[in-house]
Amino acid sequence: LNNDWKAEEGGALRCHPRKGHNRSNDIKNSIIGGPVGAHEGNIQVGWIDEHTPVYLDTFRESGRTALYSCKPSRQSTSLTRDGKSSYKRVYWSNRDFDVPKQPIDFGEFLPLVARNRFEQISTATRDPRFALSTNAPAKLASAALAKAVSDTNELDVTPSGGTMVLFDSVTLPHSVLEITGNRQRIAATGWFHEDSQFAFGV
């Protein structure tokens, strides 16, 4: 399957990692700032100060959403009885809001003092799919897309037979490129899901 696959045949997994970023720092800081990827069923949408995850709380009593980060409720190394770190939420957004249609700029819902400290995961600087603004004129949108392509840090993984790729699909923007060759691309895909706020009976 996919033996001797060539790059010119297309079908590569394209990833957009952050430029010049040390992933090990995220792991060390996640003890203090909360887990990377999701927290209590809420997906991570960005970073504050490069390493602190920002989550989208979609279970607000208002029926709307809010942005928050975590801080340890005890010492940063303390664990609960089930082996998980104990965190309390610190909300960034001043009010609850409805998530707009894509492309989304979550920075709009942060206080002004935090906006220049916020780095959104899926955005034009890393992922051209999020380059276009719903309110931008066509010329500006085209310019944004061109800048996105030049600024993004792209990593292509050719789907050669026997290749296995493991990554955090939440914090790493990614897509699969179009097939340009004459044969079918074969791949097996699976996910390890984050803990959910919902409990389902089995």
Side-chain angles (χ1 to χ4, degrees):
L1 299 176
N2 296 3
N3 290 334
D4 301 317
W5 191 279
K6 307 297 183 185
E8 54 268 23
E9 294 182 81
L13 171 66
R14 173 160 291 178
C15 304
H16 303 271
R18 292 192 282 171
K19 282 187 175 181
H21 186 72
N22 186 347
R23 172 68 175 171
S24 63
N25 286 339
D26 287 341
I27 298 173
K28 287 185 285 188
N29 281 278
S30 68
I31 298 175
I32 299 175
V36 173
H39 172 253
E40 296 181 348
N42 294 312
I43 195 170
Q44 181 185 348
V45 296
W47 308 88
I48 285 283
D49 299 331
E50 296 189 0
H51 303 298
T52 301
V54 176
Y55 311 97
L56 180 68
D57 185 347
T58 56
F59 298 92
R60 302 287 286 169
E61 290 185 5
S62 65
R64 309 176 86 185
T65 61
L67 298 172
Y68 73 94
S69 292
C70 292
K71 63 183 299 185
S73 58
R74 305 170 192 159
Q75 295 181 354
S76 61
T77 56
S78 67
L79 300 176
T80 58
R81 290 183 179 179
D82 59 3
K84 297 181 180 179
S85 295
S86 179
Y87 300 105
K88 64 180 180 180
R89 301 182 184 190
V90 178
Y91 281 87
W92 292 102
S93 44
N94 295 323
R95 57 182 174 78
D96 292 0
F97 60 90
D98 293 320
V99 176
K101 64 181 181 179
Q102 290 185 347
I104 304 167
D105 179 8
F106 285 109
E108 294 182 0
F109 304 104
L110 295 173
L112 290 175
V113 294
R115 290 182 185 178
N116 64 345
R117 299 163 53 199
F118 177 67
E119 181 183 356
Q120 189 166 313
I121 291 173
S122 294
T123 184
T125 57
R126 233 173 348 273
D127 189 343
R129 294 174 298 168
F130 292 82
L132 303 181
S133 171
T134 53
N135 299 320
K139 288 185 178 180
L140 293 179
S142 297
L145 181 58
K147 185 178 187 302
V149 173
S150 63
D151 287 354
T152 188
N153 192 24
E154 295 178 351
L155 173 63
D156 290 348
V157 181
T158 302
S160 301
T163 301
M164 182 172 69
V165 182
L166 300 175
F167 63 95
D168 188 329
S169 61
V170 172
T171 58
L172 182 65
H174 62 281
S175 60
V176 176
L177 302 183
E178 182 181 357
I179 298 290
T180 54
N182 297 320
R183 56 176 169 160
Q184 188 177 11
R185 176 187 186 273
I186 306 296
T189 306
W191 291 268
F192 292 98
H193 288 282
E194 307 283 352
D195 290 339
S196 172
Q197 292 200 24
F198 299 106
F200 299 98
V202 178

